[in-house]
Amino acid sequence: MQLRIRSSAPHANVLTHLFAKNPGRRHERHEKDQAVRFTYLTATDEEIDALLYVETNPMSWTKSADGPIDITHYIHDRNIVTSTVFLSLIRTTLGTALNGKVKDEWAEWVDHKFPLIVTVGPVATAYSLEEVTRLFEPLGYTATYKLPKEETVLKETARKSVFLLTLEGTVSLKMLLSHLWILLPILDAEMHHFLDNEQVEKLKRYGEGWLDKHPLREDIVRKYVKFPGLVEQFIPKQERGNTQPRLNDARYEWIAEQIDVQKTRTVVDFGAGGGKLSERLAFMPGIEQIWAVEPSARALKKAHKRFEALTNRNGCSVPEAAWGSLYYYDAQWKDKGAIVLCEVIEHIEEERLPTIFNMILHDYFPKHLILTTPNSEYNAVYGLETSRHTDHRFEWTRAEFQEWCEKMNLHQIYTITFHGIGEHHPEFGSPTQAAIFTRKEWTRP
């Protein structure tokens, strides 16, 4: 992981004082078992080439207070890409430059604009190169990308999701680092930092002087702090444009509305992950018990922590995190008010689904089954030629989804209604499609 900053201009050597790093000394520190090194490749009066890089200890990423949790500790790219983890590791080294807290004799240079060439990477992101460019161009940068070589085994779409990013522009060092401290996390799908009021304050501090003018301001704020409550602290509702909510939030709200209409008292949230949907349902009046069922021990740990924070909250039915899998029958999930499968089935091999749904509909026999999955037709709106996620085993059109649901309703025990979630396209429908199975009022066959 590296960040390289270059400048060729009169007084370029002032940058060494803004970095607070003497070119004649070695600069190395250790952060969380990772070696952080800062060095000057060139340091003259009119040319500075500074390189900051992190040398990782891969085994340190498997450490936990409770020991290794599951195999995902070993399978990830967090220790080799410039994610929010990278920013947390280098923050101490660049803290003086980032905050502009230099010695008094150099204070007048904090806001001085230098011609800078910045290379950071490797960056791994789901954003297209065009979307990345739209983030940086309004700030006066020219963005270029170095992709993996064509002879690699990566598919074309995968090659364009990993790159070295180079930015060229005339900007102060403090402002450059502020831009990176906000926009690199935007590119990172898995935030490392905890999302709370402190992150709102960081967004305000590092976004001062440029974020309010950015044409993608609302998108940047929503992706940086994610949660609607935190977004509102930065952009009050009356100041927001007429934008659509994040699709994940829209799904949760729609599911909550359906459960409210059904007056459901017990809910089993299968494939609950870290428990975000269950947390949303916990504040709904009338619900007596929610089970967040998940096979991943790591995700269950996150859910437990999330639910602990809800203890003693007024009007909250604290969910129970439980290990479970759709591959195995468990009698405790029989005869519940609602079973929810939110964006779950597409992660399962298609040939295994009939057995799973026979178990859900005829053995568990819920009053309602709420099911959501991507609508593959809408991928054309996103400009996607492949699935939305590399772990999706399939994605169905609306016709395929409806035909499949009817086949699963083998004995016509349920009535089925179909819905769309998210912004509707006249030709391609909504990005998420949903079905509600409602048990007919007769006895079990």
Side-chain angles (χ1 to χ4, degrees):
M1 299 182 278
Q2 69 172 31
L3 171 63
R4 184 179 179 185
I5 301 175
R6 292 167 281 168
S7 183
S8 296
H11 309 295
N13 63 318
V14 172
L15 289 168
T16 65
H17 300 283
L18 301 181
F19 282 123
K21 298 290 183 290
N22 188 327
R25 294 178 55 191
R26 178 181 178 180
H27 304 280
E28 180 176 343
R29 64 187 310 125
H30 286 79
E31 297 282 345
K32 303 173 184 176
D33 290 333
Q34 321 302 321
V36 181
R37 296 186 174 93
F38 183 101
T39 187
Y40 293 99
L41 304 179
T42 303
T44 66
D45 289 348
E46 297 187 353
E47 185 177 0
I48 291 296
D49 189 349
L51 177 65
L52 178 63
Y53 64 101
V54 176
E55 191 172 290
T56 62
N57 173 11
M59 291 306 297
S60 70
W61 296 72
T62 68
K63 294 179 181 179
S64 165
D66 302 319
I69 300 175
D70 57 33
I71 197 170
T72 56
H73 271 70
Y74 297 87
I75 306 174
H76 58 72
D77 62 5
R78 310 300 286 169
N79 62 338
I80 57 174
V81 298
T82 49
S83 61
T84 49
V85 175
F86 174 71
L87 294 181
S88 71
L89 293 172
I90 68 173
R91 189 182 186 285
T92 302
T93 302
L94 290 182
T96 300
L98 174 63
N99 296 303
K101 304 297 185 182
V102 300
K103 292 182 179 180
D104 291 343
E105 59 263 39
W106 304 106
E108 63 181 290
W109 293 90
V110 168
D111 295 319
H112 181 80
K113 295 182 179 180
F114 296 89
L116 298 176
I117 302 175
V118 184
T119 300
V120 61
V123 175
T125 182
Y127 276 60
S128 68
L129 301 184
E130 292 77 12
E131 290 172 318
V132 178
T133 298
R134 285 197 293 270
L135 283 175
F136 287 98
E137 269 192 349
L139 302 173
Y141 298 106
T142 299
T144 56
Y145 308 91
K146 183 177 180 180
L147 306 178
K149 294 180 179 180
E150 293 185 4
E151 58 265 26
T152 62
V153 296
L154 296 174
K155 295 181 180 178
E156 183 66 16
T157 52
R159 281 204 319 116
K160 291 184 178 179
S161 69
V162 181
F163 49 80
L164 285 176
L165 169 64
T166 297
L167 304 170
E168 294 188 46
T170 301
V171 62
S172 70
L173 179 62
K174 179 177 181 291
M175 189 61 72
L176 163 73
L177 296 177
S178 295
H179 294 158
L180 295 178
W181 242 257
I182 298 301
L183 297 182
L184 284 180
I186 299 304
L187 301 179
D188 185 10
E190 186 179 344
M191 292 285 191
H192 169 67
H193 51 243
F194 187 73
L195 295 171
D196 58 8
N197 293 334
E198 183 180 348
Q199 291 307 318
V200 176
E201 293 306 313
K202 287 182 180 179
L203 185 61
K204 290 178 179 178
R205 182 164 69 252
Y206 298 135
E208 184 178 2
W210 65 272
L211 184 53
D212 283 343
K213 303 172 187 176
H214 200 294
L216 299 178
R217 172 186 180 237
E218 291 189 24
D219 288 335
I220 292 171
V221 172
R222 284 203 308 273
K223 289 181 172 66
Y224 189 84
V225 294
K226 291 190 176 182
F227 301 134
L230 297 179
V231 173
E232 191 168 345
Q233 292 184 40
F234 195 91
I235 308 178
K237 286 184 178 179
Q238 60 268 25
E239 293 184 17
R240 297 185 208 173
N242 187 23
T243 57
Q244 294 290 324
R246 293 175 65 244
L247 183 56
N248 209 41
D249 295 332
R251 282 193 289 261
Y252 291 171
E253 289 304 314
W254 182 84
I255 291 171
E257 289 172 7
Q258 307 315 307
I259 288 177
D260 184 47
V261 168
Q262 296 158 3
K263 306 300 180 186
T264 302
R265 295 184 178 182
T266 55
V267 178
V268 182
D269 177 14
F270 270 109
K276 290 183 179 180
L277 173 58
S278 294
E279 179 185 39
R280 169 63 184 87
L281 300 178
F283 292 92
M284 294 188 59
I287 292 186
E288 298 174 356
Q289 182 65 65
I290 303 166
W291 292 271
V293 183
E294 169 63 37
S296 166
R298 187 179 188 185
L300 276 179
K301 187 174 182 179
K302 291 182 180 179
H304 276 295
K305 185 175 181 180
R306 185 184 301 276
F307 300 155
E308 284 176 2
L310 302 179
T311 305
N312 300 323
R313 295 277 293 274
N314 291 331
C316 177
S317 179
V318 179
E320 177 183 335
W323 186 92
S325 170
L326 289 170
Y327 297 146
Y328 307 102
Y329 174 74
D330 190 333
Q332 67 176 312
W333 311 129
K334 290 177 61 175
D335 298 314
K336 302 303 181 187
I339 287 178
V340 178
L341 291 151
C342 179
E343 306 299 288
V344 171
I345 63 170
E346 62 273 11
H347 295 274
I348 301 172
E349 290 79 3
E350 192 171 347
E351 59 271 17
R352 303 186 74 166
L353 288 177
T355 301
I356 290 172
F357 270 74
N358 182 64
M359 177 179 69
I360 292 174
L361 295 174
H362 302 103
D363 295 330
Y364 291 158
F365 205 55
K367 289 184 179 179
H368 305 279
L369 168 64
I370 300 175
L371 178 66
T372 77
T373 193
N375 166 22
S376 64
E377 296 167 77
Y378 200 88
N379 291 353
V381 179
Y382 294 136
L384 293 175
E385 298 179 359
T386 59
S387 297
R388 296 184 202 174
H389 193 282
T390 55
D391 189 54
H392 286 184
R393 306 304 200 265
F394 63 87
E395 289 179 0
W396 285 327
T397 65
R398 287 168 291 176
E400 289 170 336
F401 177 59
Q402 293 177 21
E403 180 183 2
W404 182 85
C405 287
E406 296 291 354
K407 286 182 179 179
M408 293 302 101
N409 192 19
L410 184 61
H411 300 295
Q412 301 299 306
I413 298 173
Y414 296 83
T415 59
I416 309 174
T417 57
F418 297 97
H419 309 264
I421 304 172
E423 188 171 5
H424 182 80
H425 187 279
E427 180 179 356
F428 302 116
S430 299
T432 294
Q433 53 187 332
I436 301 176
F437 291 70
T438 300
R439 194 177 71 201
K440 295 177 181 177
E441 292 303 319
W442 59 33
T443 57
R444 188 189 301 271

